[in-house]
Amino acid sequence: MFFSFPVSNEKREQQSSYSEEESVQDYELIEKIKTGNGIAFQELFERYKKLVINVCFRLVGNKDEAEDLTQDVFLAIFRSAQHFNHRSKVSTWIYRIAINLSLNHLRRKKYRHWFSLDDTSTCNESADLDLVSSDCPEHDFDKQEQEKIVLKAINQLPADQRIAVMLQRYEGLSCQEIAAIAECSVGAVQARLHRAKKNLYQKLLPYLKEI
Amino acid sequence: MSCQKIKKQLLLFLDNELPEAQHQEIRQHLAGCPDCSKHLKQLTKIWDAPAAIEILEPSAHLWRRIASKLPASKNRWDLLADLWQSMRGFAVPVAATVIILIGILTGAYLGTLPSDPDSAISGQAPLVAAKEAFIKTSHLDAFDDLPPASIGGIYLSMETNQQ
Ligand SMILES: [Zn+2]
């Protein structure tokens, strides 16, 4: 795997620990899950629970919702294991399920907002971001605050750009891996990343003066 | 390239995502433009904060929640069978421990019983009677002569002949 992008230390460990051998083990687990083996399913859960909850959390921005989504993701994995073909890596397939369910969740939430009477917010398809403590540019910055600002900016991007940036920045994935998850060409991923970073620059501009 | 155009591409420059020629052009511009290099420094500070975002851990009971929602047919007998599969490695040590424990407990219990029928107190009389009945019915009298055709009898006759 190739890391040219900023990734947290913990993520780095998690990523680099995925060896070829573990990919083979993943395939074996899926084969057992196809026969209804609950222990194999639990092992897959232990292996991927952190990855799934963090992908969901960064997309929906709420811990409780991320936990509920993690449950939905693993139930979907169990149900659709039958249809898993070995053309993609198990991790790619799991990323895809986690992202799709998170985006569906945000869409449903958007429509609920749309039909609710007390709706005064300008809700879009992105996360609520209750993890961002301050909207104010005149805030005392520290590293975590800065990262929250970046995450907020990322969450305001259109879904395709948002997913590409998230997977690159927080999961340390290459364009090839992102393309496999998004089921598009590498060129399309690169184009999304270009558009995303030009948009992000505009969104981060108000905060730069304060640093 | 104008300063404005350079600045818009700085995030791509930071992430090494520009074609080589463009990357070099920006690098050269930055060397001669204090305003753009100050801007890059600010941008680096916010963009390169190495994902200092918290890493979530799922709650301890999440697996139980998921397991309870699995299809029923796969939730009971199959899980039990799977559990047995995964415990096979422990079966022998566990069985050995259980047998040893039973042995120790049985030994400890038998050790509390009177070994001499004559010293038995009245409360243990039925046990003494049972022992006597057992000795009688199985013809085990320690002072009986050994049957002549038995191995013991042959051995005894060889011993007495040698003497
Ligand atoms: Zn300049």
Side-chain angles (χ1 to χ4, degrees):
Chain A
M1 220 173 253
F2 123 124
F3 307 103
S4 62
F5 308 107
V7 185
S8 71
N9 288 339
E10 185 161 351
K11 260 291 104 69
R12 247 183 247 276
E13 272 168 33
Q14 204 178 320
Q15 292 280 328
S16 54
S17 68
Y18 279 111
S19 61
E20 280 294 310
E21 193 188 323
E22 273 173 308
S23 285
V24 173
Q25 287 170 359
D26 280 352
Y27 287 135
E28 287 169 359
L29 287 178
I30 295 292
E31 286 309 309
K32 286 181 185 166
I33 293 168
K34 282 181 184 179
T35 68
N37 185 318
I39 298 298
F41 183 51
Q42 191 172 4
E43 201 178 322
L44 192 84
F45 170 79
E46 291 300 329
R47 222 173 245 219
Y48 285 103
K49 62 182 182 184
K50 250 172 115 174
L51 180 149
V52 170
I53 201 168
N54 283 287
V55 166
C56 295
F57 177 53
R58 287 191 194 111
L59 283 169
V60 303
N62 175 292
K63 288 178 189 177
D64 292 335
E65 288 172 25
E67 177 127 341
D68 289 346
L69 277 165
T70 303
Q71 175 184 308
D72 294 347
V73 168
F74 279 97
L75 290 174
I77 288 170
F78 191 82
R79 270 186 243 111
S80 54
Q82 294 293 345
H83 309 292
F84 178 78
N85 56 47
H86 289 208
R87 268 177 283 164
S88 68
K89 280 165 67 180
V90 174
S91 59
T92 302
W93 178 60
I94 293 177
Y95 269 124
R96 201 180 296 145
I97 294 173
I99 289 166
N100 284 337
L101 290 188
S102 298
L103 292 182
N104 285 345
H105 171 81
L106 289 173
R107 264 175 227 134
R108 275 201 304 275
K109 227 171 134 181
K110 178 189 166 189
Y111 293 125
R112 275 206 299 276
H113 270 272
W114 193 266
F115 288 112
S116 69
L117 292 168
D118 58 345
D119 178 31
T120 51
S121 66
T122 54
C123 181
N124 58 16
E125 212 181 271
S126 69
D128 274 353
L129 290 161
D130 49 359
L131 66 167
V132 176
S133 58
S134 170
D135 279 355
C136 177
E138 290 90 34
H139 198 263
D140 190 28
F141 291 104
D142 64 353
K143 285 269 179 201
Q144 204 154 354
E145 288 296 311
Q146 286 169 19
E147 194 53 38
K148 283 177 179 174
I149 289 164
V150 170
L151 189 60
K152 189 192 172 186
I154 292 172
N155 268 301
Q156 289 167 346
L157 295 170
D160 60 340
Q161 295 177 27
R162 182 160 26 122
I163 301 302
V165 174
M166 288 239 180
L167 292 176
Q168 186 193 57
R169 185 173 176 84
Y170 299 110
E171 304 299 318
L173 301 186
S174 68
C175 289
Q176 283 80 359
E177 288 164 320
I178 297 168
I181 292 166
E183 295 181 292
C184 65
S185 69
V186 174
V189 172
Q190 286 167 337
R192 285 173 196 181
L193 287 171
H194 270 237
R195 282 198 299 275
K197 281 167 194 180
K198 284 182 177 169
N199 283 334
L200 281 172
Y201 171 77
Q202 297 298 339
K203 292 181 193 305
L204 294 176
L205 204 52
Y207 297 95
L208 296 184
K209 310 280 184 287
E210 305 302 319
I211 297 172
Chain B
M1 252 194 275
S2 68
C3 286
Q4 196 54 29
K5 216 172 167 199
I6 296 277
K7 284 176 182 175
K8 280 184 183 169
Q9 296 191 59
L10 284 179
L11 278 184
L12 290 161
F13 175 82
L14 274 176
D15 284 350
N16 287 316
E17 282 176 58
L18 289 170
E20 186 55 31
Q22 232 168 312
H23 192 90
Q24 286 310 325
E25 192 183 345
I26 291 178
R27 189 188 287 272
Q28 277 167 14
H29 179 98
L30 288 168
C33 179
D35 185 42
C36 283
S37 29
K38 187 187 169 204
H39 202 69
L40 177 71
K41 219 174 260 176
Q42 290 171 322
L43 201 59
T44 308
K45 206 173 167 201
I46 194 164
W47 186 247
D48 272 359
I53 200 87
E54 63 179 309
I55 303 286
L56 264 198
E57 284 279 353
S59 65
H61 59 264
L62 182 59
W63 168 251
R64 247 176 297 142
R65 263 174 64 190
I66 293 172
S68 73
K69 289 198 157 62
L70 294 179
S73 62
K74 282 168 179 170
N75 203 11
R76 296 187 187 129
W77 298 115
D78 287 8
L79 279 179
L80 212 63
D82 297 338
L83 198 66
W84 169 245
Q85 273 303 89
S86 65
M87 279 175 58
R88 263 191 326 187
F90 301 104
V92 171
V94 168
T97 311
V98 168
I99 289 167
I100 290 167
L101 272 176
I102 289 173
I104 291 169
L105 290 173
T106 311
Y109 173 69
L110 290 178
T112 63
L113 295 178
S115 55
D116 182 5
D118 297 333
S119 72
I121 53 168
S122 58
Q124 285 162 329
L127 194 75
V128 175
K131 273 189 178 176
E132 279 171 2
F134 177 70
I135 289 166
K136 268 181 199 159
T137 53
S138 56
H139 309 288
L140 290 175
D141 192 330
F143 303 106
D144 268 0
D145 285 335
L146 289 165
S150 69
I151 294 173
I154 294 165
Y155 178 73
L156 203 64
S157 67
M158 281 165 66
E159 285 287 302
T160 44
N161 286 345
Q162 271 176 4
Q163 285 163 8

